[in-house]
Amino acid sequence: MKVNELLEDIEQLDTFKRYGKIHRVVGLMIESKGPEASVGEVCVIHSSPKKGEKILAEVVGFHNENVLLMPYAEINHIAPGCLVEATGNPLQVKVGRGLVGQVIDSLGNSLFEDPLPKGLTPYPTEQSPPNPLSRPRIQEPIQVGVRSIDTLLTTGKGQRVGIFAGSGVGKSTLMGMIARNSGADINVIALIGERGREVREFIEKDLGEEGLKKSIVVVATSDQPALMRIKGAYTATAISEYFRDIGYDVNLMMDSVTRVAMAQREVGLATGEPPTTKGYTPSVFAILPKLLERTGTNQSGTITAFYTVLVDGDDLNEPIADTVRGILDGHFVLERRLAEQGQFPAINVLKSISRVMNQITSEAHQEAAEHFRSLLATYEENQELIQIGAYKKGSSREVDEAIQYYPHILSFLKQGVHDAVQQEEAIQQLVELLGRGDT
């Protein structure tokens, strides 16, 4: 019976290879007459016979019965009439336990000189977000290893958080701390649109040998084509999904989702989309929820995701920041003013929020965190009066208490880059701090 079924399958096989031909190239876009292919499918462009190169490209649209392609690499050797071959498949990358400790590009190729280990499994980079009703609720905290986050902005397994900051405020350093100190089984780190110099610096300095041992780093630098930068985000998310589906608690860290949006804007403008909100095309706001909703919990494991958002001019209301904040389950705001005052990590805990904290922490922990926030808010509201000496002691019991606690609060919020603090220890330190206001 099986033999007959196989023979029928063989008879139905299409043994012809269908090719198209390059018609024209405009900016980032390659237009070809044929082959028959669908959006998202990978095609191989055979460059001029002298060069003999094969360039991978993806179908991104159609125009007047022509196929619109965007390449994954530079297109220096493409000429009119070059053949385009359809593969019939979307982009797939190889995943497995052997990938841990590796640094790869958006197509899953190793950036080290050694090839990837054997035994890896092909896995599609584009997946649909899970059914909302199949997602278990977030009920368990995960250790981040950063004292101010673990105590005041407690994060749950499967939560998705945005790290909002301008350039040079310490996003990469904070990500390195989380990767080294986190309680997750494995880290998947996507460096999207980074300067080439910063990649090695992040891996060796911020992540370190200890962090790399339980991490997979996906790199798409700023000089690469827009599609490679977008695929870097999809590849990192797909790798996270693979490990989640086999029962791991995964940390996904993407730096930055803003550069993914910028790359999608380039693709959208090249395919003829109109620029709408501050130059961003409609497809940008369509892909963001699809990408960000893929992470979170499922029946097997969890993906706790940290997405950095680059806010131009420290404007938290610019379109990408506003959209991402609405999709995620919390946000940490890094403030330049705090960094300039020497507070690291420069998290403004009053502007930051974890939307699941009340579900995963004890009442005593919540009360301590609320008391801490109240003291800090009271001091900041009256800071100018205190600093110029206009406030007289005894005028307000709340302000007196805030002034008394403030040096301890500052000390608590500061943490050295290589200081590892366990979550239970951090909560104990918070409780002790609030009990020593008289010292």
Side-chain angles (χ1 to χ4, degrees):
M1 184 68 179
K2 287 184 179 178
V3 175
N4 291 335
E5 288 176 1
L6 289 170
L7 287 171
E8 285 179 14
D9 290 342
I10 290 169
E11 285 176 6
Q12 291 173 9
L13 277 175
D14 187 355
T15 55
F16 290 95
K17 276 191 176 180
R18 290 176 170 78
Y19 292 90
K21 282 189 175 182
I22 297 292
H23 175 55
R24 67 173 187 161
V25 176
V26 181
L28 306 173
M29 195 64 60
I30 300 168
E31 198 169 316
S32 72
K33 293 186 178 296
E36 189 178 312
S38 56
V39 171
E41 192 172 315
V42 175
C43 293
V44 179
I45 300 172
H46 299 266
S47 64
S48 57
K50 291 181 182 178
K51 301 295 179 183
E53 292 180 4
K54 292 182 179 180
I55 297 167
L56 293 179
E58 185 176 304
V59 179
V60 294
F62 306 98
H63 177 67
N64 292 338
E65 298 184 5
N66 290 342
V67 179
L68 300 179
L69 301 155
M70 289 204 77
Y72 290 137
E74 296 298 328
I75 54 172
N76 298 332
H77 306 304
I78 289 179
C82 285
L83 293 179
V84 180
E85 178 187 349
T87 63
N89 296 308
L91 180 66
Q92 294 188 327
V93 292
K94 291 183 177 178
V95 296
R97 278 290 308 169
L99 212 55
V100 179
Q102 296 286 336
V103 182
I104 61 174
D105 66 12
S106 301
L107 305 181
N109 303 314
S110 175
L111 293 182
F112 292 131
E113 292 181 359
D114 301 327
L116 290 175
K118 294 181 180 178
L120 302 177
T121 309
Y123 195 80
T125 59
E126 295 217 24
Q127 305 272 354
S128 297
N131 183 328
L133 295 183
S134 70
R135 292 178 183 265
R137 289 176 57 201
I138 299 168
Q139 295 178 321
E140 190 180 345
I142 187 169
Q143 175 181 296
V144 173
V146 179
R147 184 166 47 224
S148 54
I149 295 174
D150 280 337
T151 54
L152 307 169
L153 302 162
T154 310
T155 304
K157 287 183 180 178
Q159 186 174 351
R160 300 158 305 144
V161 180
I163 300 174
F164 292 74
S167 54
V169 186
K171 296 187 303 297
S172 298
T173 312
L174 179 60
M175 281 175 56
M177 285 179 72
I178 295 171
R180 289 193 309 274
N181 304 332
S182 166
D185 301 319
I186 193 167
N187 300 310
V188 180
I189 302 168
L191 303 177
I192 310 297
E194 287 285 346
R195 292 180 284 273
R197 174 189 63 81
E198 288 185 331
V199 172
R200 185 164 185 175
E201 192 173 294
F202 174 81
I203 292 168
E204 294 182 359
K205 177 171 166 267
D206 297 326
L207 187 58
E209 190 178 340
E210 176 192 347
L212 187 58
K213 280 180 185 174
K214 66 167 192 174
S215 301
I216 300 165
V217 184
V218 181
V219 175
T221 50
S222 57
D223 59 295
Q224 293 182 328
L227 201 59
M228 279 289 271
R229 283 175 269 145
I230 297 169
K231 289 300 167 187
Y234 280 85
T235 296
T237 306
I239 293 169
S240 303
E241 288 170 322
Y242 170 83
F243 283 103
R244 174 183 64 184
D245 292 345
I246 59 174
Y248 284 74
D249 291 322
V250 184
N251 261 1
L252 170 63
M253 286 172 274
M254 190 178 294
D255 185 15
S256 71
V257 74
T258 307
R259 294 194 180 108
V260 177
M262 288 176 174
Q264 181 60 37
R265 176 173 62 183
E266 286 182 45
V267 173
L269 291 171
T271 54
E273 280 189 80
T276 51
T277 312
K278 288 197 175 178
Y280 287 99
T281 57
S283 63
V284 173
F285 303 101
I287 71 152
L288 281 175
K290 288 180 183 175
L291 176 65
L292 304 182
E293 284 288 349
R294 286 169 62 180
T295 55
T297 60
N298 75 359
Q299 302 294 344
S300 306
T302 63
I303 301 174
T304 307
F306 298 91
Y307 298 99
T308 69
V309 182
L310 190 64
V311 287
D312 293 332
D314 298 329
D315 176 17
L316 293 172
N317 295 317
E318 61 97 25
I320 300 303
D322 206 37
T323 303
V324 170
R325 190 168 54 239
I327 298 168
L328 299 179
D329 309 317
H331 53 271
F332 305 156
V333 178
L334 303 189
E335 212 163 75
R336 195 175 302 278
R337 172 181 62 85
L338 299 177
E340 288 167 353
Q341 290 172 1
Q343 179 183 315
F344 182 83
I347 300 173
N348 186 326
V349 294
L350 298 178
K351 289 185 179 178
S352 306
I353 191 170
S354 168
R355 291 191 177 130
V356 303
M357 181 174 172
N358 290 345
Q359 302 170 27
I360 57 175
T361 52
S362 66
E363 282 189 23
H365 180 178
Q366 290 170 33
E367 285 173 10
E370 284 171 15
H371 187 193
F372 185 101
R373 282 172 171 268
S374 173
L375 290 168
L376 183 57
T378 301
Y379 186 91
E380 292 205 352
E381 281 172 17
N382 297 277
Q383 190 170 19
E384 288 185 9
L385 291 174
I386 295 165
Q387 287 179 343
I388 63 173
Y391 175 76
K392 291 183 179 180
K393 189 175 181 180
S395 302
S396 165
R397 188 169 59 84
E398 289 81 7
V399 178
D400 288 345
E401 188 184 17
I403 293 170
Q404 196 175 339
Y405 275 100
Y406 191 65
H408 304 304
I409 287 173
L410 274 187
S411 177
F412 182 84
L413 293 174
K414 290 180 182 178
Q415 184 176 338
V417 175
H418 297 286
D419 293 347
V421 182
Q422 297 295 313
Q423 190 166 27
E424 295 81 6
E425 183 188 346
I427 295 168
Q428 185 60 37
Q429 288 176 2
L430 174 67
V431 173
E432 287 175 2
L433 180 152
L434 295 173
R436 72 161 102 147
D438 298 330
T439 60

